[in-house]
PDB file of all heavy atoms in Angstrom:
ATOM      1  N   VAL A  80     255.405 -13.341 128.324  1.00 98.00           N
ATOM      2  CA  VAL A  80     254.516 -13.293 129.487  1.00 98.00           C
ATOM      3  C   VAL A  80     255.324 -12.711 130.651  1.00 98.00           C
ATOM      4  O   VAL A  80     256.339 -13.283 131.062  1.00 98.00           O
ATOM      5  CB  VAL A  80     254.003 -14.705 129.841  1.00 98.00           C
ATOM      6  CG1 VAL A  80     253.099 -14.646 131.063  1.00 98.00           C
ATOM      7  CG2 VAL A  80     253.268 -15.325 128.661  1.00 98.00           C
ATOM      8  N   ILE A  81     254.858 -11.580 131.166  1.00 99.00           N
ATOM      9  CA  ILE A  81     255.595 -10.895 132.242  1.00 99.00           C
ATOM     10  C   ILE A  81     255.182 -11.459 133.596  1.00 99.00           C
ATOM     11  O   ILE A  81     253.987 -11.623 133.872  1.00 99.00           O
ATOM     12  CB  ILE A  81     255.310  -9.370 132.166  1.00 99.00           C
ATOM     13  CG1 ILE A  81     255.913  -8.820 130.873  1.00 99.00           C
ATOM     14  CG2 ILE A  81     255.868  -8.644 133.392  1.00 99.00           C
ATOM     15  CD1 ILE A  81     255.544  -7.384 130.585  1.00 99.00           C
ATOM     16  N   MET A  82     256.171 -11.742 134.422  1.00 99.00           N
ATOM     17  CA  MET A  82     255.898 -12.302 135.760  1.00 99.00           C
ATOM     18  C   MET A  82     257.032 -11.906 136.702  1.00 99.00           C
ATOM     19  O   MET A  82     258.127 -11.549 136.246  1.00 99.00           O
ATOM     20  CB  MET A  82     255.804 -13.828 135.667  1.00 99.00           C
ATOM     21  CG  MET A  82     257.075 -14.496 135.211  1.00 99.00           C
ATOM     22  SD  MET A  82     256.843 -16.274 134.934  1.00 99.00           S
ATOM     23  CE  MET A  82     255.704 -16.289 133.564  1.00 99.00           C
ATOM     24  N   PRO A  83     256.789 -11.986 138.019  1.00 98.00           N
ATOM     25  CA  PRO A  83     257.892 -11.687 138.934  1.00 98.00           C
ATOM     26  C   PRO A  83     258.911 -12.820 138.885  1.00 98.00           C
ATOM     27  O   PRO A  83     258.532 -13.985 138.687  1.00 98.00           O
ATOM     28  CB  PRO A  83     257.210 -11.639 140.305  1.00 98.00           C
ATOM     29  CG  PRO A  83     256.018 -12.519 140.149  1.00 98.00           C
ATOM     30  CD  PRO A  83     255.560 -12.370 138.719  1.00 98.00           C
ATOM     31  N   THR A  84     260.179 -12.481 139.083  1.00 98.00           N
ATOM     32  CA  THR A  84     261.201 -13.531 139.138  1.00 98.00           C
ATOM     33  C   THR A  84     261.117 -14.281 140.463  1.00 98.00           C
ATOM     34  O   THR A  84     261.543 -15.419 140.566  1.00 98.00           O
ATOM     35  CB  THR A  84     262.606 -12.934 138.933  1.00 98.00           C
ATOM     36  OG1 THR A  84     263.544 -14.019 138.904  1.00 98.00           O
ATOM     37  CG2 THR A  84     262.997 -11.960 140.044  1.00 98.00           C
ATOM     38  N   PHE A  85     260.536 -13.621 141.480  1.00 98.00           N
ATOM     39  CA  PHE A  85     260.428 -14.220 142.801  1.00 98.00           C
ATOM     40  C   PHE A  85     259.112 -14.987 142.859  1.00 98.00           C
ATOM     41  O   PHE A  85     258.085 -14.482 143.319  1.00 98.00           O
ATOM     42  CB  PHE A  85     260.476 -13.117 143.863  1.00 98.00           C
ATOM     43  CG  PHE A  85     260.588 -13.636 145.271  1.00 98.00           C
ATOM     44  CD1 PHE A  85     261.737 -14.268 145.718  1.00 98.00           C
ATOM     45  CD2 PHE A  85     259.546 -13.480 146.166  1.00 98.00           C
ATOM     46  CE1 PHE A  85     261.843 -14.742 147.019  1.00 98.00           C
ATOM     47  CE2 PHE A  85     259.639 -13.944 147.478  1.00 98.00           C
ATOM     48  CZ  PHE A  85     260.792 -14.583 147.895  1.00 98.00           C
ATOM     49  N   THR A  86     259.125 -16.208 142.313  1.00 98.00           N
ATOM     50  CA  THR A  86     257.921 -17.036 142.320  1.00 98.00           C
ATOM     51  C   THR A  86     258.321 -18.487 142.166  1.00 98.00           C
ATOM     52  O   THR A  86     259.494 -18.833 141.982  1.00 98.00           O
ATOM     53  CB  THR A  86     256.924 -16.608 141.218  1.00 98.00           C
ATOM     54  OG1 THR A  86     255.731 -17.397 141.326  1.00 98.00           O
ATOM     55  CG2 THR A  86     257.484 -16.784 139.820  1.00 98.00           C
ATOM     56  N   PHE A  87     257.292 -19.365 142.224  1.00 98.00           N
ATOM     57  CA  PHE A  87     257.519 -20.796 142.096  1.00 98.00           C
ATOM     58  C   PHE A  87     257.685 -21.153 140.619  1.00 98.00           C
ATOM     59  O   PHE A  87     257.213 -20.435 139.735  1.00 98.00           O
ATOM     60  CB  PHE A  87     256.293 -21.512 142.682  1.00 98.00           C
ATOM     61  CG  PHE A  87     256.481 -22.976 142.899  1.00 98.00           C
ATOM     62  CD1 PHE A  87     257.471 -23.453 143.749  1.00 98.00           C
ATOM     63  CD2 PHE A  87     255.660 -23.893 142.262  1.00 98.00           C
ATOM     64  CE1 PHE A  87     257.629 -24.807 143.961  1.00 98.00           C
ATOM     65  CE2 PHE A  87     255.810 -25.251 142.478  1.00 98.00           C
ATOM     66  CZ  PHE A  87     256.801 -25.707 143.322  1.00 98.00           C
ATOM     67  N   THR A  88     258.312 -22.283 140.365  1.00 98.00           N
ATOM     68  CA  THR A  88     258.585 -22.706 138.984  1.00 98.00           C
ATOM     69  C   THR A  88     257.309 -22.816 138.140  1.00 98.00           C
ATOM     70  O   THR A  88     257.330 -22.513 136.943  1.00 98.00           O
ATOM     71  CB  THR A  88     259.282 -24.073 138.973  1.00 98.00           C
ATOM     72  OG1 THR A  88     258.446 -25.022 139.651  1.00 98.00           O
ATOM     73  CG2 THR A  88     260.620 -24.022 139.687  1.00 98.00           C
ATOM     74  N   SER A  89     256.201 -23.231 138.772  1.00 98.00           N
ATOM     75  CA  SER A  89     254.969 -23.464 137.998  1.00 98.00           C
ATOM     76  C   SER A  89     254.482 -22.206 137.286  1.00 98.00           C
ATOM     77  O   SER A  89     253.869 -22.291 136.219  1.00 98.00           O
ATOM     78  CB  SER A  89     253.841 -23.946 138.926  1.00 98.00           C
ATOM     79  OG  SER A  89     254.212 -25.131 139.548  1.00 98.00           O
ATOM     80  N   THR A  90     254.718 -21.036 137.881  1.00 98.00           N
ATOM     81  CA  THR A  90     254.257 -19.776 137.266  1.00 98.00           C
ATOM     82  C   THR A  90     254.858 -19.659 135.864  1.00 98.00           C
ATOM     83  O   THR A  90     254.180 -19.274 134.913  1.00 98.00           O
ATOM     84  CB  THR A  90     254.698 -18.568 138.122  1.00 98.00           C
ATOM     85  OG1 THR A  90     254.509 -18.850 139.492  1.00 98.00           O
ATOM     86  CG2 THR A  90     253.969 -17.300 137.734  1.00 98.00           C
ATOM     87  N   ALA A  91     256.132 -19.999 135.744  1.00 98.00           N
ATOM     88  CA  ALA A  91     256.819 -19.868 134.457  1.00 98.00           C
ATOM     89  C   ALA A  91     256.629 -21.094 133.574  1.00 98.00           C
ATOM     90  O   ALA A  91     256.408 -20.994 132.361  1.00 98.00           O
ATOM     91  CB  ALA A  91     258.313 -19.645 134.699  1.00 98.00           C
ATOM     92  N   ASN A  92     256.681 -22.273 134.194  1.00 98.00           N
ATOM     93  CA  ASN A  92     256.573 -23.524 133.441  1.00 98.00           C
ATOM     94  C   ASN A  92     255.329 -23.578 132.567  1.00 98.00           C
ATOM     95  O   ASN A  92     255.386 -24.015 131.421  1.00 98.00           O
ATOM     96  CB  ASN A  92     256.474 -24.685 134.442  1.00 98.00           C
ATOM     97  CG  ASN A  92     257.652 -25.618 134.329  1.00 98.00           C
ATOM     98  OD1 ASN A  92     258.181 -25.813 133.245  1.00 98.00           O
ATOM     99  ND2 ASN A  92     258.047 -26.179 135.443  1.00 98.00           N
ATOM    100  N   ALA A  93     254.192 -23.146 133.139  1.00 98.00           N
ATOM    101  CA  ALA A  93     252.917 -23.241 132.433  1.00 98.00           C
ATOM    102  C   ALA A  93     253.005 -22.542 131.072  1.00 98.00           C
ATOM    103  O   ALA A  93     252.445 -23.016 130.082  1.00 98.00           O
ATOM    104  CB  ALA A  93     251.816 -22.600 133.273  1.00 98.00           C
ATOM    105  N   PHE A  94     253.732 -21.430 131.027  1.00 98.00           N
ATOM    106  CA  PHE A  94     253.815 -20.639 129.793  1.00 98.00           C
ATOM    107  C   PHE A  94     254.940 -21.143 128.897  1.00 98.00           C
ATOM    108  O   PHE A  94     254.794 -21.194 127.677  1.00 98.00           O
ATOM    109  CB  PHE A  94     253.957 -19.155 130.151  1.00 98.00           C
ATOM    110  CG  PHE A  94     252.785 -18.708 130.969  1.00 98.00           C
ATOM    111  CD1 PHE A  94     252.840 -18.673 132.357  1.00 98.00           C
ATOM    112  CD2 PHE A  94     251.584 -18.414 130.350  1.00 98.00           C
ATOM    113  CE1 PHE A  94     251.731 -18.334 133.113  1.00 98.00           C
ATOM    114  CE2 PHE A  94     250.460 -18.072 131.094  1.00 98.00           C
ATOM    115  CZ  PHE A  94     250.536 -18.034 132.485  1.00 98.00           C
ATOM    116  N   ALA A  95     256.050 -21.569 129.521  1.00 98.00           N
ATOM    117  CA  ALA A  95     257.157 -22.139 128.740  1.00 98.00           C
ATOM    118  C   ALA A  95     256.677 -23.387 127.998  1.00 98.00           C
ATOM    119  O   ALA A  95     257.098 -23.654 126.866  1.00 98.00           O
ATOM    120  CB  ALA A  95     258.316 -22.459 129.670  1.00 98.00           C
ATOM    121  N   VAL A 100     257.655 -17.099 126.183  1.00 98.00           N
ATOM    122  CA  VAL A 100     258.875 -16.731 126.909  1.00 98.00           C
ATOM    123  C   VAL A 100     258.494 -16.037 128.218  1.00 98.00           C
ATOM    124  O   VAL A 100     257.910 -14.951 128.201  1.00 98.00           O
ATOM    125  CB  VAL A 100     259.737 -15.763 126.060  1.00 98.00           C
ATOM    126  CG1 VAL A 100     261.027 -15.398 126.798  1.00 98.00           C
ATOM    127  CG2 VAL A 100     260.041 -16.377 124.705  1.00 98.00           C
ATOM    128  N   PRO A 101     258.814 -16.656 129.359  1.00 98.00           N
ATOM    129  CA  PRO A 101     258.601 -15.946 130.625  1.00 98.00           C
ATOM    130  C   PRO A 101     259.580 -14.775 130.718  1.00 98.00           C
ATOM    131  O   PRO A 101     260.781 -14.958 130.514  1.00 98.00           O
ATOM    132  CB  PRO A 101     258.923 -17.004 131.701  1.00 98.00           C
ATOM    133  CG  PRO A 101     258.954 -18.314 130.991  1.00 98.00           C
ATOM    134  CD  PRO A 101     259.343 -18.021 129.570  1.00 98.00           C
ATOM    135  N   VAL A 102     259.043 -13.586 130.986  1.00 98.00           N
ATOM    136  CA  VAL A 102     259.900 -12.402 131.119  1.00 98.00           C
ATOM    137  C   VAL A 102     259.908 -12.030 132.598  1.00 98.00           C
ATOM    138  O   VAL A 102     258.865 -11.683 133.170  1.00 98.00           O
ATOM    139  CB  VAL A 102     259.373 -11.239 130.245  1.00 98.00           C
ATOM    140  CG1 VAL A 102     260.194  -9.984 130.462  1.00 98.00           C
ATOM    141  CG2 VAL A 102     259.409 -11.652 128.776  1.00 98.00           C
ATOM    142  N   PHE A 103     261.088 -12.149 133.194  1.00 98.00           N
ATOM    143  CA  PHE A 103     261.187 -11.977 134.641  1.00 98.00           C
ATOM    144  C   PHE A 103     261.439 -10.519 134.997  1.00 98.00           C
ATOM    145  O   PHE A 103     262.381  -9.904 134.485  1.00 98.00           O
ATOM    146  CB  PHE A 103     262.323 -12.845 135.194  1.00 98.00           C
ATOM    147  CG  PHE A 103     262.173 -14.297 134.826  1.00 98.00           C
ATOM    148  CD1 PHE A 103     263.164 -14.964 134.109  1.00 98.00           C
ATOM    149  CD2 PHE A 103     261.020 -14.995 135.173  1.00 98.00           C
ATOM    150  CE1 PHE A 103     263.018 -16.291 133.760  1.00 98.00           C
ATOM    151  CE2 PHE A 103     260.860 -16.334 134.826  1.00 98.00           C
ATOM    152  CZ  PHE A 103     261.865 -16.986 134.117  1.00 98.00           C
ATOM    153  N   VAL A 104     260.592  -9.990 135.901  1.00 98.00           N
ATOM    154  CA  VAL A 104     260.785  -8.609 136.358  1.00 98.00           C
ATOM    155  C   VAL A 104     260.924  -8.596 137.871  1.00 98.00           C
ATOM    156  O   VAL A 104     260.648  -9.593 138.547  1.00 98.00           O
ATOM    157  CB  VAL A 104     259.652  -7.661 135.891  1.00 98.00           C
ATOM    158  CG1 VAL A 104     259.521  -7.655 134.379  1.00 98.00           C
ATOM    159  CG2 VAL A 104     258.339  -8.006 136.538  1.00 98.00           C
ATOM    160  N   ASP A 105     261.342  -7.448 138.366  1.00 98.00           N
ATOM    161  CA  ASP A 105     261.659  -7.346 139.789  1.00 98.00           C
ATOM    162  C   ASP A 105     260.386  -7.186 140.632  1.00 98.00           C
ATOM    163  O   ASP A 105     259.293  -6.952 140.115  1.00 98.00           O
ATOM    164  CB  ASP A 105     262.611  -6.169 140.032  1.00 98.00           C
ATOM    165  CG  ASP A 105     263.565  -6.462 141.199  1.00 98.00           C
ATOM    166  OD1 ASP A 105     263.381  -7.482 141.884  1.00 98.00           O
ATOM    167  OD2 ASP A 105     264.498  -5.650 141.403  1.00 98.00           O
ATOM    168  N   ILE A 106     260.602  -7.324 141.937  1.00 98.00           N
ATOM    169  CA  ILE A 106     259.488  -7.226 142.889  1.00 98.00           C
ATOM    170  C   ILE A 106     259.638  -5.951 143.723  1.00 98.00           C
ATOM    171  O   ILE A 106     260.702  -5.324 143.741  1.00 98.00           O
ATOM    172  CB  ILE A 106     259.458  -8.460 143.807  1.00 98.00           C
ATOM    173  CG1 ILE A 106     260.837  -8.712 144.442  1.00 98.00           C
ATOM    174  CG2 ILE A 106     258.991  -9.676 143.033  1.00 98.00           C
ATOM    175  CD1 ILE A 106     260.852  -9.823 145.463  1.00 98.00           C
ATOM    176  N   LEU A 113     255.161  -8.428 142.357  1.00 98.00           N
ATOM    177  CA  LEU A 113     255.475  -7.820 141.059  1.00 98.00           C
ATOM    178  C   LEU A 113     255.438  -6.295 141.117  1.00 98.00           C
ATOM    179  O   LEU A 113     254.433  -5.721 141.572  1.00 98.00           O
ATOM    180  CB  LEU A 113     254.437  -8.303 140.044  1.00 98.00           C
ATOM    181  CG  LEU A 113     254.550  -7.805 138.615  1.00 98.00           C
ATOM    182  CD1 LEU A 113     255.577  -8.609 137.855  1.00 98.00           C
ATOM    183  CD2 LEU A 113     253.200  -7.911 137.912  1.00 98.00           C
ATOM    184  N   ALA A 118     257.106  -3.978 135.385  1.00 98.00           N
ATOM    185  CA  ALA A 118     256.305  -4.702 134.392  1.00 98.00           C
ATOM    186  C   ALA A 118     256.080  -3.807 133.165  1.00 98.00           C
ATOM    187  O   ALA A 118     256.213  -4.260 132.019  1.00 98.00           O
ATOM    188  CB  ALA A 118     254.969  -5.127 135.007  1.00 98.00           C
ATOM    189  N   ALA A 121     258.933  -3.621 130.895  1.00 98.00           N
ATOM    190  CA  ALA A 121     259.263  -4.885 130.217  1.00 98.00           C
ATOM    191  C   ALA A 121     258.356  -5.167 129.015  1.00 98.00           C
ATOM    192  O   ALA A 121     258.580  -6.133 128.279  1.00 98.00           O
ATOM    193  CB  ALA A 121     259.154  -6.038 131.219  1.00 98.00           C
ATOM    194  N   ALA A 128     250.670 -11.293 128.031  1.00 98.00           N
ATOM    195  CA  ALA A 128     250.004 -11.511 129.332  1.00 98.00           C
ATOM    196  C   ALA A 128     250.894 -11.052 130.477  1.00 98.00           C
ATOM    197  O   ALA A 128     252.118 -10.946 130.333  1.00 98.00           O
ATOM    198  CB  ALA A 128     249.671 -12.999 129.496  1.00 98.00           C
ATOM    199  N   ILE A 129     250.249 -10.784 131.625  1.00 98.00           N
ATOM    200  CA  ILE A 129     250.962 -10.483 132.874  1.00 98.00           C
ATOM    201  C   ILE A 129     250.455 -11.468 133.918  1.00 98.00           C
ATOM    202  O   ILE A 129     249.247 -11.725 134.000  1.00 98.00           O
ATOM    203  CB  ILE A 129     250.679  -9.064 133.409  1.00 98.00           C
ATOM    204  CG1 ILE A 129     250.967  -8.012 132.350  1.00 98.00           C
ATOM    205  CG2 ILE A 129     251.510  -8.768 134.655  1.00 98.00           C
ATOM    206  CD1 ILE A 129     250.829  -6.580 132.866  1.00 98.00           C
ATOM    207  N   VAL A 130     251.372 -11.981 134.716  1.00 98.00           N
ATOM    208  CA  VAL A 130     250.981 -12.929 135.770  1.00 98.00           C
ATOM    209  C   VAL A 130     251.395 -12.381 137.134  1.00 98.00           C
ATOM    210  O   VAL A 130     252.514 -12.588 137.585  1.00 98.00           O
ATOM    211  CB  VAL A 130     251.627 -14.319 135.542  1.00 98.00           C
ATOM    212  CG1 VAL A 130     251.040 -15.339 136.529  1.00 98.00           C
ATOM    213  CG2 VAL A 130     251.415 -14.790 134.118  1.00 98.00           C
ATOM    214  N   PRO A 131     250.494 -11.654 137.797  1.00 98.00           N
ATOM    215  CA  PRO A 131     250.820 -11.211 139.154  1.00 98.00           C
ATOM    216  C   PRO A 131     250.725 -12.395 140.122  1.00 98.00           C
ATOM    217  O   PRO A 131     249.814 -13.221 140.004  1.00 98.00           O
ATOM    218  CB  PRO A 131     249.737 -10.168 139.469  1.00 98.00           C
ATOM    219  CG  PRO A 131     248.634 -10.416 138.506  1.00 98.00           C
ATOM    220  CD  PRO A 131     249.171 -11.186 137.342  1.00 98.00           C
ATOM    221  N   VAL A 132     251.676 -12.472 141.040  1.00 98.00           N
ATOM    222  CA  VAL A 132     251.695 -13.547 142.056  1.00 98.00           C
ATOM    223  C   VAL A 132     251.491 -12.863 143.402  1.00 98.00           C
ATOM    224  O   VAL A 132     252.256 -11.967 143.771  1.00 98.00           O
ATOM    225  CB  VAL A 132     253.067 -14.274 142.037  1.00 98.00           C
ATOM    226  CG1 VAL A 132     253.139 -15.318 143.148  1.00 98.00           C
ATOM    227  CG2 VAL A 132     253.322 -14.900 140.673  1.00 98.00           C
ATOM    228  N   LEU A 329     263.774 -16.955 139.661  1.00 98.00           N
ATOM    229  CA  LEU A 329     263.761 -17.776 138.448  1.00 98.00           C
ATOM    230  C   LEU A 329     264.810 -17.329 137.441  1.00 98.00           C
ATOM    231  O   LEU A 329     265.350 -18.157 136.706  1.00 98.00           O
ATOM    232  CB  LEU A 329     262.369 -17.754 137.809  1.00 98.00           C
ATOM    233  CG  LEU A 329     261.258 -18.429 138.619  1.00 98.00           C
ATOM    234  CD1 LEU A 329     259.935 -18.384 137.856  1.00 98.00           C
ATOM    235  CD2 LEU A 329     261.602 -19.880 138.965  1.00 98.00           C
ATOM    236  N   ARG A 340     263.601 -14.755 129.940  1.00 98.00           N
ATOM    237  CA  ARG A 340     264.561 -13.653 129.830  1.00 98.00           C
ATOM    238  C   ARG A 340     264.301 -12.655 130.945  1.00 98.00           C
ATOM    239  O   ARG A 340     263.174 -12.546 131.451  1.00 98.00           O
ATOM    240  CB  ARG A 340     264.529 -13.034 128.436  1.00 98.00           C
ATOM    241  CG  ARG A 340     263.573 -11.919 128.217  1.00 98.00           C
ATOM    242  CD  ARG A 340     263.761 -11.246 126.858  1.00 98.00           C
ATOM    243  NE  ARG A 340     262.572 -10.472 126.538  1.00 98.00           N
ATOM    244  CZ  ARG A 340     262.289  -9.283 127.058  1.00 98.00           C
ATOM    245  NH1 ARG A 340     263.109  -8.722 127.926  1.00 98.00           N
ATOM    246  NH2 ARG A 340     261.178  -8.641 126.731  1.00 98.00           N
ATOM    247  N   LEU A 345     267.076  -6.829 138.602  1.00 98.00           N
ATOM    248  CA  LEU A 345     266.314  -7.777 139.433  1.00 98.00           C
ATOM    249  C   LEU A 345     266.925  -7.830 140.828  1.00 98.00           C
ATOM    250  O   LEU A 345     266.881  -8.842 141.519  1.00 98.00           O
ATOM    251  CB  LEU A 345     266.307  -9.153 138.743  1.00 98.00           C
ATOM    252  CG  LEU A 345     265.578  -9.080 137.396  1.00 98.00           C
ATOM    253  CD1 LEU A 345     266.113 -10.082 136.411  1.00 98.00           C
ATOM    254  CD2 LEU A 345     264.099  -9.272 137.561  1.00 98.00           C
TER     255      LEU A 345
END
Side-chain angles (χ1 to χ4, degrees):
V80 179
I81 294 172
M82 62 187 65
T84 184
F85 189 68
T86 184
F87 192 60
T88 58
S89 300
T90 318
N92 243 327
F94 301 96
V100 181
V102 176
F103 305 122
V104 302
D105 213 352
I106 51 174
L113 180 81
I129 306 185
V130 188
V132 176
L329 293 182
R340 89 172 163 78
L345 296 151

